[in-house]
Amino acid sequence: MAQPTVAAPDLAARFPEMVTPDTRKGYSGYIVKAEALLDFAKALKEEFGYDYLSSVTGVDYLPQGLMEVVYHAYKITGGPPLVFKVQVPRDNPVVPSVTSIWPGANFQEREAWDLLGIRFEGHPNLKRILLWEGFWGHPLRKDWREPYYEGEHKPFKSRTAGPHFWHEDHNPFGKNVDYPPGFDPYTWEPETADQILYESVIQRTRKPEQEELHSEQVVVNLGPQHPSTHGVFRMIATLDGETVVALEPVMGYLHRNHEKIGERNTWIMNIPYTDRLDYITAMSNNFGYVLAVEKLMGLEPPERAQYLRVIMAELTRIVNHLWAIGFLLNDLGAFFTPALYAIEERELILDVFEAASGSRMMNNYMRFGGVVRDIPEDAWDMLVKLVHDRLPRKIDELDRFLTHNELIKSRTQGVGVLTPEQAIALSTSGPVLRASGVPYDVRRAEPYGIYDRFDFDVAVRYHGDVYDRYLIRLDEARQSLRILQQAVRDIPERGAPILAGKPQYQVRVPAGEAYGRVEGPKGELGFYVVSTGKANPWRYHVRAPSFINLTALEAMSIGNKVADLVVILGSIDIVLGEVDR
Amino acid sequence: MKRPSRDELQKPGYEIPDELKGSVVVTTLNRLYNWGRRNSVWPMMFGLACCAIEMIATAASRYDLARFGMEVMRPSPRQSDVMIVSGTVTKRMAPLIVRLYNQMPMPKYVIAMGACASGGGPFKEGYNVVSGVDKLIPVDVYIPGCPPTPEALLFGLMKLQQKIERQSFKEVYTKPDYIPEPVLGPDLMDPRDYPKIREYTQKKLQELQQQAAQAAQG
């Protein structure tokens, strides 16, 4: 299945000499000259209607001496992406920032600066995002080597043939560390990074009249060890009295180097790593990755596998939404009781996952061209009962307990409002986008797998506050049940093939690029992969919905009370494994 | 110190009056103390990564951590006895983990939950990953698994209870109470390693200069 590119045909003609079609084999889209990028982007947004910038990332083409920035833009009314790229020399990569046109590019550009060292001119806040200020080098560059470096590509000899060794024994410090030549630790000032951070937050909102009145704004730090930040997430809020006037999310405390490790891995070795991105929704992460690679390989999974994938992905969505609702209530102060209701159902669904894949959480279930195992018969019976009886009942129960609760209403209605314009501009996706009144769902906008066969509604709510973000999760869980009921009814008989071709450990992936995206429970989960025809990906990038949804956190929080911050964060429903990767 | 056996404790070697039999229990102070400690081990509410989800599942109704007196998750390190390091320890988080450990009151225990906390796990070769939390703080129990199932976590917690039960007063406070916090430099730096780091970086610089000089000559 080739990536469809039905871009406006006159783009190259409209910007002669500045925009050329990308003619490399396996690639698509346009290559834009850096100096014309802003004009091009403005025209795309205003004339051609590509108002939603999904993904910005960089690729280091070391042999060609190029650094490439890849953009994927969409129309919010649906349809395929418009891919465009900017190529700059590797030794001085400077690209104009598109944050003035699509503010949602903010964090993604910072990430590309952090990991690849691409400088975005005009970016309002170009700091490192996943690593700390002062880190040595830009790790995703192809010539950057980690302290435990053993080879460019796995499988490493020391793991298979031998001689086997511990990496610790080969490091002078016995740890995973390395230092630049000539560095003197005694002259290092460790406090500067935090001071810069606090100063920059307070500078943004300081008003001249406050100096005269001798009143000052207070900077409050929440996290990273905080009972309600859903992991190791940190927020720095500036308060005027109790009201939030500015907020800066700080992340990277769980940055586990998925992308660097992913480039060392073989294609198939990355599937279990995707489980650990958003560890509550492992199945749908698998789905996104195999979809991207299947696009490159031109594989089409058999019918039963398609249904199994949909079933697993929708069950995952229910797990995630129940979990999100339970923990949103946790954040509201209803400590743990609603979460216990949610976890009870989650355990039942995990039983099905465990029976099918062998693991409760890290399922590692999908393969290129299908799924790895069929679901056992007794687990199937469990699943059918769950889908038709237990889950609908339990979702109604949650609805009955929570939706009209006076306390919940007064704490959540009108809190953390995100307007539809902001939601689109800030590139939010998933429930956050749809709760703001934008009915955009990848399953409808650009159907993948067999989602075009099912009858379901795209849930949408219009207030854009925390209450609507809670309601939309209930709605979506109900829609997922509808899909599940149809899938359970229509799935081909047991015994039908579940994998296209033979199971193999080493797959051949033709050279080219692909962007596979699914509607994950948290939002649009995309995988951008570049293959050079070798056994390993050249680039493996994750467009993580939780990460990009956080761009909207400041817009949601400003003007609210500090006590509501945790609730607003809870309503975005982030998972740090995916935010930091 | 030889620990008295249960049988020995039943026969203390002196006569207990009849009217007090059944209402007096003779034991050692160690046993009494540890009996109390082992049955109310309060974990710190502290999740790092995927394993934290299984930790929450363990605290929920199906696995019910409360059976072991451990359901009281304290959000503050000052009130907790055991730190369950549930997930990948990154370099960026390392100073904070050591700080949290330092803030816990003695006696304190650490459980390394899962492959990452025990030795780096699947992310070991990552540039931002500490290969095991025992590189930073002393660990009492390691639980394998990625992530460990709730049953495995419960087993690990039971092992910790056994360990607590066997300890004597003298041992309890011998663990290091304070560990210097690592510093985020160009890479993670342990302040105790500073001389070594300087030696290493100077050597590297000299090698580079020599190479440059050779290249200039040849």
Side-chain angles (χ1 to χ4, degrees):
Chain A
M1 199 165 62
Q3 189 152 341
T5 330
V6 199
D10 52 346
L11 274 174
R14 171 110 203 283
F15 296 93
E17 299 196 5
M18 287 295 170
V19 178
T20 46
D22 191 350
T23 49
R24 290 172 289 177
K25 192 166 180 293
Y27 287 75
S28 60
Y30 296 93
I31 295 178
V32 184
K33 290 236 164 78
E35 54 267 32
L37 177 68
L38 285 182
D39 291 338
F40 180 78
K42 201 167 220 160
L44 267 193
K45 190 183 176 190
E46 285 165 10
E47 292 171 35
F48 299 98
Y50 286 92
D51 45 2
Y52 185 77
L53 184 71
S54 159
S55 158
V56 181
T57 186
V59 189
D60 179 9
Y61 287 102
L62 179 65
Q64 290 90 344
L66 285 176
M67 198 65 92
E68 192 176 270
V69 185
V70 186
Y71 302 83
H72 285 80
Y74 288 90
K75 290 179 184 167
I76 205 72
T77 46
L82 183 85
V83 192
F84 58 99
K85 295 146 197 169
V86 178
Q87 292 183 335
V88 282
R90 211 175 156 274
D91 41 3
N92 181 26
V94 182
V95 178
S97 165
V98 294
T99 42
S100 56
I101 295 154
W102 292 293
N106 189 340
F107 284 6
Q108 305 190 61
E109 285 184 351
R110 276 176 72 186
E111 189 197 331
W113 155 245
D114 187 358
L115 300 182
L116 282 154
I118 302 170
R119 196 180 295 279
F120 290 91
E121 245 173 14
H123 190 286
N125 188 18
L126 193 65
K127 286 188 309 220
R128 284 187 182 263
I129 189 163
L130 296 179
L131 293 162
W132 59 91
E133 291 295 332
F135 186 82
W136 181 31
H138 299 285
L140 273 187
R141 289 187 165 217
K142 286 283 173 184
D143 48 1
W144 193 92
R145 289 177 174 184
E146 56 268 43
Y148 280 174
Y149 178 80
E150 190 182 334
E152 281 299 315
H153 298 307
K154 280 185 191 169
F156 298 143
K157 280 226 175 69
S158 72
R159 314 265 174 102
T160 51
H164 309 289
F165 61 84
W166 293 101
H167 282 292
E168 281 93 331
D169 301 340
H170 286 231
N171 188 295
F173 299 95
K175 285 183 240 177
N176 188 7
V177 289
D178 196 9
Y179 306 99
F183 167 72
D184 186 359
Y186 290 99
T187 56
W188 180 261
E189 287 176 28
E191 295 302 321
T192 41
D194 266 9
Q195 278 167 5
I196 293 170
L197 202 59
Y198 292 138
E199 267 308 302
S200 76
V201 175
I202 212 159
Q203 281 295 346
R204 259 195 289 163
T205 50
R206 186 172 281 159
K207 291 185 209 128
E209 63 263 28
Q210 278 176 331
E211 307 265 319
E212 288 166 23
L213 290 170
H214 298 288
S215 85
E216 58 181 30
Q217 295 171 338
V218 186
V219 177
V220 176
N221 179 67
L222 295 100
Q225 204 297 100
H226 186 279
S228 293
T229 50
H230 297 244
V232 280
F233 179 68
R234 179 175 171 200
M235 292 183 276
I236 296 171
T238 316
L239 307 180
D240 188 3
E242 266 191 80
T243 313
V244 181
V245 288
L247 181 131
E248 172 134 351
V250 184
M251 45 199 115
Y253 293 95
L254 192 56
H255 178 46
R256 301 193 277 195
N257 331 126
H258 271 274
E259 296 181 6
K260 187 79 178 174
I261 295 174
E263 286 168 15
R264 301 257 190 262
N265 282 345
T266 58
W267 290 96
I268 204 159
M269 278 161 118
N270 272 338
I271 299 177
Y273 279 89
T274 61
D275 289 337
R276 286 157 182 81
L277 280 170
D278 176 354
Y279 30 79
I280 296 176
T281 65
M283 288 283 193
S284 85
N285 303 347
N286 283 183
F287 200 175
Y289 177 62
V290 297
L291 212 65
V293 180
E294 277 167 10
K295 269 185 187 172
L296 275 177
M297 293 169 72
L299 265 180
E300 190 68 31
E303 199 72 342
R304 187 171 167 87
Q306 293 273 31
Y307 275 95
L308 281 174
R309 281 181 180 186
V310 168
I311 288 172
M312 294 305 175
E314 294 306 318
L315 280 176
T316 307
R317 194 183 313 278
I318 294 174
V319 169
N320 178 74
H321 286 351
L322 288 175
W323 186 273
I325 292 170
F327 280 82
L328 176 68
L329 267 289
N330 236 6
D331 295 344
L332 277 167
F335 187 68
F336 223 46
T337 309
L340 285 178
Y341 276 81
I343 296 172
E344 194 183 357
E345 305 316 309
R346 175 179 180 261
E347 290 289 340
L348 297 174
I349 298 177
L350 290 202
D351 284 346
V352 175
F353 287 172
E354 191 175 6
S357 72
S359 172
R360 281 162 52 88
M361 275 173 72
M362 304 306 179
N363 309 113
N364 189 12
Y365 185 60
M366 300 187 190
R367 293 289 182 276
F368 308 130
V371 296
V372 65
R373 275 177 220 96
D374 208 333
I375 180 170
E377 257 170 86
D378 48 346
W380 181 259
D381 296 341
M382 253 160 36
L383 169 76
V384 175
K385 271 187 207 137
L386 269 180
V387 165
H388 282 290
D389 175 35
R390 171 133 189 158
L391 287 178
R393 222 160 15 96
K394 289 292 169 175
I395 290 171
D396 287 347
E397 189 182 70
L398 267 184
D399 192 4
R400 204 165 59 240
F401 288 162
L402 302 178
T403 304
H404 298 294
N405 185 314
E406 193 58 41
L407 283 174
I408 292 175
K409 277 187 167 176
S410 56
R411 276 297 303 278
T412 57
Q413 283 183 340
V415 172
V417 178
L418 190 72
T419 62
E421 293 78 22
Q422 280 175 326
I424 296 170
L426 291 168
S427 296
T428 59
S429 57
V432 179
L433 181 65
R434 290 191 288 273
S436 288
V438 184
Y440 186 78
D441 187 323
V442 183
R443 292 174 293 177
R444 266 289 151 74
E446 195 193 14
Y448 54 92
I450 50 166
Y451 273 105
D452 46 355
R453 298 184 196 171
F454 297 109
D455 179 26
F456 67 99
D457 298 322
V458 176
V460 63
R461 297 267 169 177
Y462 297 95
H463 296 97
D465 56 3
V466 175
Y467 188 62
D468 273 13
R469 286 197 279 278
Y470 147 72
L471 282 179
I472 199 137
R473 295 205 161 89
L474 275 184
D475 297 346
E476 282 187 18
R478 290 204 172 105
Q479 295 303 327
S480 289
L481 279 176
R482 268 177 80 189
I483 298 177
L484 277 167
Q485 284 163 1
Q486 295 166 46
V488 166
R489 184 191 67 204
D490 297 341
I491 187 169
E493 283 296 307
R494 181 178 298 278
I498 52 164
L499 192 67
K502 276 190 309 204
Q504 45 190 347
Y505 288 113
Q506 193 63 274
V507 292
R508 275 203 54 77
V509 180
E513 57 162 12
Y515 183 66
R517 56 173 195 157
V518 295
E519 183 65 37
K522 305 271 194 305
E524 179 191 326
L525 175 70
F527 287 85
Y528 178 72
V529 288
V530 175
S531 168
T532 47
K534 301 259 172 60
N536 309 71
W538 181 259
R539 181 83 172 97
Y540 160 74
H541 172 74
V542 188
R543 187 251 187 233
S546 313
F547 174 66
I548 296 163
N549 284 354
L550 276 178
T551 322
L553 183 63
E554 184 172 18
M556 287 180 195
S557 309
I558 287 178
N560 285 288
K561 297 275 184 278
V562 63
D564 291 328
L565 264 188
V566 164
V567 186
I568 294 169
L569 179 73
S571 75
I572 303 181
D573 184 20
I574 56 164
V575 161
L576 264 296
E578 191 179 63
V579 173
D580 295 341
R581 285 154 287 151
Chain B
M1 187 187 83
K2 189 177 167 293
R3 294 194 182 87
S5 73
R6 197 174 290 267
D7 282 350
E8 281 168 345
L9 284 176
Q10 298 303 319
K11 300 177 201 134
Y14 48 85
E15 202 63 29
I16 297 173
D18 278 350
E19 65 267 26
L20 286 183
K21 275 185 182 163
S23 48
V24 171
V25 176
V26 182
T27 182
T28 65
L29 202 53
N30 254 335
R31 259 178 202 271
L32 184 68
Y33 181 58
N34 288 343
W35 172 71
R37 284 200 307 135
R38 66 162 276 198
N39 286 314
S40 66
V41 183
W42 290 3
M44 182 154 63
M45 190 194 272
F46 172 56
L48 280 177
C50 337
C51 292
I53 306 295
E54 285 299 61
M55 191 169 77
I56 296 167
T58 314
S61 35
R62 188 191 265 191
Y63 298 98
D64 197 9
L65 199 56
R67 292 178 292 160
F68 302 88
M70 291 179 178
E71 81 281 16
V72 195
M73 296 250 183
R74 305 313 297 179
S76 163
R78 307 265 182 212
Q79 300 168 338
S80 42
D81 303 307
V82 57
M83 175 199 247
I84 302 178
V85 183
S86 52
T88 317
V89 181
T90 61
K91 288 179 185 169
R92 198 163 178 190
M93 196 63 196
L96 302 156
I97 288 175
V98 174
R99 191 180 303 165
L100 288 170
Y101 177 82
N102 289 340
Q103 285 173 345
M104 283 166 67
M106 291 290 279
K108 49 191 165 190
Y109 299 93
V110 176
I111 291 181
M113 181 185 180
C116 295
S118 304
F123 301 101
K124 184 179 171 182
E125 69 261 31
Y127 49 85
N128 191 28
V129 175
V130 177
S131 26
V133 73
D134 53 2
K135 297 268 191 295
L136 304 169
I137 52 179
V139 175
D140 293 280
V141 179
Y142 297 88
I143 306 174
C146 188
T149 55
E151 292 93 332
L153 177 60
L154 289 178
F155 184 72
L157 289 167
M158 276 149 63
K159 280 279 165 212
L160 181 70
Q161 288 186 327
Q162 286 172 9
K163 182 168 183 170
I164 291 173
E165 203 170 17
R166 284 200 308 272
Q167 281 183 319
S168 81
F169 272 126
K170 279 189 248 163
E171 296 165 16
V172 166
Y173 292 94
T174 52
K175 260 183 129 175
D177 183 24
Y178 176 79
I179 293 171
E181 271 176 42
V183 175
L184 291 176
D187 208 328
L188 194 69
M189 303 188 290
D190 190 330
R192 292 167 292 189
D193 278 351
Y194 276 4
K196 219 172 140 190
I197 293 172
R198 188 153 69 174
E199 197 186 323
Y200 169 77
T201 53
Q202 290 303 327
K203 207 175 121 201
K204 230 166 122 179
L205 184 68
Q206 280 166 11
E207 278 170 16
L208 274 180
Q209 284 165 347
Q210 275 172 11
Q211 276 174 13
Q214 277 172 5
Q217 282 171 8

